[in-house]
Amino acid sequence: MKNPPTALLVEDDGAIREALAEFLETMGYQVNAVATAEQGIASLRAEGVSLLVTDYALPGESGSWLVRQARAEGLLRTTLVVMVTALLKPPVLADVRVLRKPLDIGQLREEVRLPH
Amino acid sequence: MSGLQPPHPMELHYQLVVQGMEEGVVFHDQDGVIRATNPSAERILRVPADALLGRRSVLERCEPLQEDGSPLSLECCPALVCLRTGQSERGRVIGLRRADGELSWLSFTSHLLLRADGGRAGVVTSFRDITVLRDRETQSKLRYEEVSHTVRLHDAFLATAAHELRTPLTALRLQVQNLLHRVNSGAGVAVEVLTTKLQAAVRQTERLNALIDLLLDVSRMTVGRIELKRTSVDLAELARDLLARHADELTAGGIEVRLDAKPVTGDWDVARLEQVVGNLLSNALKYGNRKPVHIKVRREGASALLAVTDTGLGVPASDHRRIFERFERAHSGTQTGLGLGLWVVREIVAAHGGSIELASVPNEGSTFTVRLPLAPTLEAVVPKEGP
């Protein structure tokens, strides 16, 4: 049997992290969830993923930093990147889908739907 | 008929008008020499008429300034300029530094007077003191800048408040939508799982409620004094209780908090002091570089001392005042939070008649030290006079 696709989730709020991880699992992903950008980059260096979902505002380095750093190291070549944020004016990054909090799960489902 | 002719009635009327004017009036002859003044000129310039007559400028006995504060040469005074150019000078503002150092601002207007044959008879100059007007203008400009700053802070606060409210709202929405998905998928949900999920959802509503309470509390603190419900409180016990209640979160966060507290009892508001300890602790955890945080409680004469120390980012000296203001934070980055913690602490400590100080070295850490009088001081009982 083929291994399930993997997702890395970076979110500092425990309750959101837990609920988002649960949602991504129902979408068929095997989820690794961490709380900081620093933990996120360490995880990506150890193992690539099909999907990266990261919050923008994080303690320490931001979600944007994580994406730029991971791209610079060539860690996101085959990864779909989704950024979630509660900011009114979210940052703009090339090839990154930005979703505003509070998240709409229908919209998120469209973004992270697996190809059949 | 011999002797002096009585003045013509019209001339007498003119004299009365000039004598009675609120504005100072001086007359320069065609050679630029002052030949006549009125009583208001003496009053405004604080110089007797004798000292003005025969001079070239009313400004000779003081240090005249241009509107921007730079020195003004006497040849550039409005009457002499008007005489030279033939053009009227209207509303020229000139500063007068008097012998005693006081600075007044006057507004001058000079017009050329012509004789019947078209030749120059001289210049008449009127002037008034606009110092009070100028001060008022300066003050309203300052007030405007102050209000603009507050409006900008409020905008930033609203954005931050929206951001903070969205966090528990997002968690709640995801939890409920996940549950809905489970129910709709027809797979069935065990009662234990359902209970856990719903409890988690209730916790998010509590977070939302606590945030709204904080926002309302801050808004109340902004408009009025904090009403304290004083009872006998042991600060050491209060700190210990607070840590015990949050033990789970602290363990999960993985940062050690060391409490070194000796009993010290005073007349304080328990709930407000919990906010003080809680906010200082939460800051230390946030900016403490994940290293241990120390809380010290001691008695110091007629006061209690509470010190919260971290070994984290620290605060540059230039920011020590700013971070106690509303909606400000020490480090701009992407740190979350309302930026109200230290402001709330300062207000509560002040309401108790106490003080707070910060000792900090960037990249070495910070110590916030609160001193609270054990009993209400006169200052804390009697409200200060408002502005």
Side-chain angles (χ1 to χ4, degrees):
Chain A
M1 200 180 127
K2 206 177 141 196
N3 283 335
T6 51
L8 174 65
L9 169 63
V10 187
E11 164 66 61
D12 62 324
D13 186 85
I16 297 179
R17 188 167 64 240
E18 212 171 286
L20 260 182
E22 184 183 334
F23 164 74
L24 293 173
E25 277 159 12
T26 65
M27 293 296 292
Y29 287 94
Q30 186 184 315
V31 183
N32 176 24
V34 297
T36 66
E38 290 83 349
Q39 291 168 333
I41 194 82
S43 167
L44 287 172
R45 281 174 190 150
E47 196 178 7
V49 290
S50 321
L51 172 69
L52 168 64
V53 178
T54 178
D55 189 14
Y56 171 71
L58 293 164
E61 298 291 352
S62 71
S64 289
W65 173 87
L66 171 63
V67 173
R68 278 197 304 270
Q69 186 62 33
R71 283 228 172 106
E73 295 181 26
L75 304 172
L76 297 177
R77 282 196 197 103
T78 57
T79 304
L80 173 67
V81 181
V82 176
M83 191 174 296
V84 294
T85 179
L87 291 181
L88 294 173
K89 288 178 190 152
V92 181
L93 279 173
D95 296 320
V96 174
R97 289 291 302 168
V98 176
L99 297 182
R100 290 267 310 277
K101 287 179 182 175
L103 297 167
D104 177 67
I105 228 160
Q107 200 185 357
L108 188 58
R109 185 174 288 125
E110 290 307 312
E111 295 296 339
V112 305
R113 191 185 290 282
L114 288 166
H116 288 288
Chain B
M1 242 172 98
S2 68
L4 286 170
Q5 292 240 337
H8 188 277
M10 271 306 269
E11 198 177 314
L12 197 63
H13 289 157
Y14 285 142
Q15 270 182 21
L16 285 172
V17 167
V18 173
Q19 297 295 313
M21 276 172 74
E22 178 67 17
E23 281 147 316
V25 177
V26 296
F27 171 71
H28 285 72
D29 66 14
Q30 73 232 45
D31 300 320
V33 177
I34 297 174
R35 294 297 177 199
T37 67
N38 74 345
S40 283
E42 296 176 73
R43 176 176 52 80
I44 294 171
L45 297 166
R46 296 184 206 162
V47 184
D50 302 352
L52 294 170
L53 297 172
R55 292 182 183 271
R56 285 183 58 76
S57 170
V58 295
L59 305 174
E60 262 180 57
R61 294 180 44 137
C62 62
E63 184 190 318
L65 302 172
Q66 305 199 56
E67 218 178 340
D68 63 4
S70 60
L72 176 81
S73 90
L74 286 181
E75 286 310 306
C76 294
C77 90
L80 299 181
V81 171
C82 177
L83 196 63
R84 261 201 318 278
T85 63
Q87 302 290 318
S88 294
E89 291 276 299
R90 286 194 176 85
R92 277 274 303 279
V93 175
I94 292 173
L96 253 72
R97 175 80 65 193
R98 300 180 197 276
D100 63 359
E102 190 191 329
L103 179 64
S104 301
W105 291 93
L106 308 187
S107 170
F108 288 85
T109 294
S110 296
H111 293 295
L112 196 66
L113 297 176
L114 298 176
R115 285 197 306 265
D117 63 3
R120 289 179 183 186
V123 170
V124 65
T125 302
S126 61
F127 51 93
R128 59 202 174 95
D129 193 320
I130 55 163
T131 312
V132 176
L133 221 63
R134 256 181 87 100
D135 286 353
R136 237 181 256 155
E137 219 171 88
T138 312
Q139 270 172 9
S140 64
K141 213 180 273 174
L142 284 176
R143 178 89 191 110
Y144 174 76
E145 276 161 24
E146 205 176 286
V147 170
S148 311
H149 179 66
T150 311
V151 169
R152 278 196 301 277
L153 279 180
H154 274 106
D155 283 352
F157 173 65
L158 271 181
T160 316
H163 181 272
E164 288 306 294
L165 288 168
R166 280 206 185 94
T167 301
L169 186 63
T170 302
L172 180 60
R173 194 170 185 177
L174 285 170
Q175 287 162 345
V176 173
Q177 287 184 322
N178 278 339
L179 262 182
L180 204 61
H181 176 76
R182 278 188 185 232
V183 172
N184 286 343
S185 69
V189 191
V191 175
E192 298 78 40
V193 176
L194 192 62
T195 308
T196 314
K197 301 266 171 212
L198 288 176
Q199 277 167 347
V202 170
R203 275 200 296 278
Q204 298 313 309
T205 65
E206 284 161 2
R207 271 175 84 184
L208 275 170
N209 197 41
L211 263 175
I212 292 166
D213 279 348
L214 173 65
L215 293 176
L216 289 177
D217 192 34
V218 165
S219 141
R220 272 195 298 271
M221 281 165 78
T222 306
V223 291
R225 272 166 54 82
I226 302 171
E227 283 190 19
L228 299 176
K229 296 186 190 79
R230 290 179 187 265
T231 53
S232 179
V233 185
D234 177 0
L235 188 57
E237 200 180 308
L238 180 145
R240 213 168 5 252
D241 283 356
L242 190 83
L243 289 180
R245 254 181 292 144
H246 295 276
D248 289 351
E249 297 156 51
L250 291 170
T251 312
I255 304 169
E256 192 190 342
V257 180
R258 292 177 194 156
L259 178 66
D260 167 19
K262 300 236 164 84
V264 47
T265 304
D267 251 350
W268 303 308
D269 185 319
V270 186
R272 289 300 186 185
L273 282 201
E274 280 185 351
Q275 272 181 290
V276 168
V277 181
N279 288 0
L280 290 178
L281 175 62
S282 132
N283 265 5
L285 294 173
K286 202 190 262 182
Y287 299 111
N289 220 2
R290 309 194 62 77
K291 294 197 187 115
V293 171
H294 295 257
I295 302 180
K296 190 168 121 181
V297 178
R298 287 285 186 280
R299 182 176 172 150
E300 210 186 59
S303 296
L305 176 144
L306 163 76
V308 180
T309 305
D310 69 66
T311 49
L313 298 176
V315 182
S318 55
D319 285 344
H320 283 198
R321 273 174 72 94
R322 187 180 61 80
I323 59 167
F324 285 101
E325 296 303 322
R326 266 181 303 164
F327 322 132
E328 299 277 10
R329 40 171 82 67
H331 303 279
S332 48
T334 57
Q335 276 295 354
T336 52
L338 288 166
L340 288 170
L342 287 177
W343 180 78
V344 167
V345 167
R346 189 189 72 179
E347 293 297 302
I348 294 172
V349 169
H352 280 91
S355 65
I356 179 160
E357 58 187 62
L358 164 62
S360 180
V361 177
N363 297 317
E364 286 185 22
S366 306
T367 296
F368 287 91
T369 307
V370 171
R371 285 184 178 81
L372 294 169
L374 301 181
T377 57
L378 198 62
E379 202 183 349
V381 176
V382 184
K384 274 187 222 143
E385 285 292 321

